[in-house]
Amino acid sequence: MDQADFVHMVRMSEHASADNSRAYRRSVAAFAALGYAWVLGCMALAVCILLWVVPQLLQGRFRFAMLWALLGAGGLLWVSLRALWVRFDEPEGVEITALDAPDLFEALARIRRKIKGPPIHKVTLTDEFNASIQQLPRYGLLGGAVNHLSIGLPLLMALDRPRFLAVLAHEYGHLRGDHGRFAAWIYRTRLSWMRLNHSLADDEGPVAAATQLFMRWYFPRFSAKTFALARQDEYEADRIAGKLLGRDVTAAALAEIEIRGAWLQAEFWGNHWCAAAGNPLPVGPYRGMRRALAKAPDAAFANDALRQALKRLSNLDDTHPGLRDRIEALDATPTLPDWSRGNALALLGPDAKRWVAHFDKQWCRDNASEWKQHHAWLGRVRARAEALGASTAQSSAADLVELARLKRHLDPHADVRALYELALQRSPEYPAALRGLVPCLPEGDREGKLQLLHRLWETGSSDRYWAARTALAELETPRLGLDHDAAAFKQWRKRLERAQESEERAWEELSGTSFFSQIVRHDLSSFELAELQSELARCAPLARCWLVRKNLREYPQRRAYLVFVELPGMDDESRYHLCRALERNLSLPGPALVLWAGESPTLQQIERSAFEPIYSR
C-alpha cells in the first residue's frame, strides 16, 4: 500500500467517522474480525491437514506429498499460534505502589471512580518527560489486558499538581466506558499485528511468505482504517481531563508540556553534557533538572516554542492531534500559559528525593561509557579552542565564530560576545557572526537585536527563517519600558511567511524526492564528524548510522543532509519519534532528514547507496 492510498483511506475513515460514528465503529470491528478470521482459518486448515495426514502415516500409507503437507501444516500452525500469542515486554521503569506514593494512588482512585474506568494493574516511574497508559494484551490476539501506567519523573518536576492530574486524567480517559474499551481493544489488536509483522519479517519459507503477503495487505489497511478512531480517542481523553480538572487547566498543561519539553531538548540536555568537560565521571542530570524546571523558561524561547508548536498541523505521522487542534477542541485559547507554581513531586510521598537520587544513579550507570567518550571529545575541543585562541589577531571571521562555538561547548554560559563583534569587524555581513551575536545581547536591547536580525535578513543567507522567527519571538515578548512595535511585527511576520514558503520548498526537496537522488558523500570536516559521532554515541538504541549530503535547488549553497540509522529492537512509532528528536538535536551544519532502516528505505538500499557508515556501535 503506497502512501497516497494510505492517506486516502485515512481521510475516508475520518469522513465515515464524522458522518456516522456508530457505523464507522462497526466497520472497524468487522475489519479487525477479518484478521482474527484469517488467523483462526489458518489454524483450522492446519489442524484439518494434520488430522488427515497423521492417521495415514501411522497406518503406513506414506506418500512423499504427505511429508510436504505435514511440514506445511506444522508451519501454518506455528505461525497461527504465534499470531494468537504475541508476547509483549512490560514498560521499563521502577514499579511504585500505594505504600510508596499514597497520594498518587488516591488521586488515581478518584479519577477511576469519576470516569468508571478499569483498574490500573501496575504503575511505573520512568526517567522520561512523558506519561502514558498502555493496555497490553495478556494473551496476544486471544484477549485479556493488563493496564500499565508509566509516569515520568521530569514531568512531575515540571507541572504543578492540578496540571499533572489533568495529564493523568487524559491518560486514564483512554480506558473510559464502552467507547474506551472498544478503542483499547483496537489498540491492543493493532499492537499485536504490529509486533507480529515485525517478528515475521525475517522468516523464510512458503508459509512465511504467504503470511507476509497477507500482512503486507492487511496491516497498513488496518492502521489506516483505525487511524480516525485513535485520533478521536485523543480528543475524547482531552475532553475528560477538561471535565475533571477544568478546560483552562488542561489547555495550560498541554502548552506547558510542549514548551518545557522543547526547552529540555534544546537547552538542558546539551548544557548537561557540557559538564563532562570538567568531570571525567558522569554527573546525574535529575537533581539539576529539578532546579531548572522550578524556574520559568526564557520568555523569548517560550514564545517561539509555542508558535512552532501551534503551527504544526495534525498529520498522519502521529495519531496525536497538533497542539492548536487539541486546545481549540477544549474551547480554550492557545496562548502562553502562566507557569506552574511548584511541582507535583509531593504525589510521590515525603521521600521524593529518593527517586531523584535513584534515577541520577541509574543515568550515570547507563551513560558511563558515553560520558567517558564525551569527556575525551571535549578535551579535543579544548585543545582546538586553545589553538584558535592563540592567534585571534590574525584569525578570520570563520575562525572567530568557530572559537565562540567551541567555548560554548565547554561552558554554555561563556561570554563570547567580543569574539562575534571582532568577527563582524573583519567581515561586517558574515551571517554566522550576526546570528551568533543576537543571543549575546542583553534582554532589554531589543533595538540592537532587531538591527542584527535585519542585517542577517539582508544578507540573503539561508538563515532568513531563523532571523524572522527570532525577531517575532522578541517582539512578542513583553519587555519593561518597551512598547509593542506593531509596524515591525507586521514586517517580520510577512518576512516569516516568505521564508516559510522557501523552507517548505527546500524541505520538500529533501524529504519528497527519491532518497538516493542528488546525493554525494558527506562534506563534514574531521572535527565536525568527530562531534557528530560523539552525539551518536549517546543515542543508546542506535546500532549504525550513515550520512550523505543532499544538493538542493532551492538553496544551492546550503549544506543539507540525509541521516540513515539502524534501530534494531524498536517499534516503528518509537523509531519515528527518535528520528524526529535526532533531527532537532544533531550538530550538523545544515538541516537534516533522519530515516530509519525499515521498509522504505530498506537496510539493503542504504548499504548499497549511502556509502560507508560513519558510526557503528
Side-chain angles (χ1 to χ4, degrees), residues 49-50 52-53 57 61-74:
I49 293 174
L50 290 174
W52 175 69
V53 171
L57 290 177
R61 300 173 185 172
F62 179 80
R63 300 285 189 280
F64 192 71
M66 290 182 180
L67 181 60
W68 284 107
L70 185 63
L71 292 174

Side-chain angles (χ1 to χ4, degrees), residues 151-172:
I151 298 172
L153 181 67
L155 196 65
L156 284 159
M157 296 174 178
L159 300 181
D160 59 25
R161 185 180 178 117
R163 292 182 186 181
F164 181 77
L165 291 180
V167 173
L168 290 187
H170 168 92
E171 296 303 330
Y172 219 144

Side-chain angles (χ1 to χ4, degrees), residues 96-109:
I96 54 178
T97 66
L99 293 176
D100 299 312
D103 288 351
L104 173 64
F105 280 80
E106 182 182 344
L108 288 172

Side-chain angles (χ1 to χ4, degrees), residues 120-136:
I120 300 292
H121 298 102
K122 188 173 182 179
V123 178
T124 57
L125 192 63
T126 74
D127 58 2
E128 297 179 354
F129 186 72
N130 191 26
S132 63
I133 201 161
Q134 292 179 280
Q135 195 171 68
L136 296 181

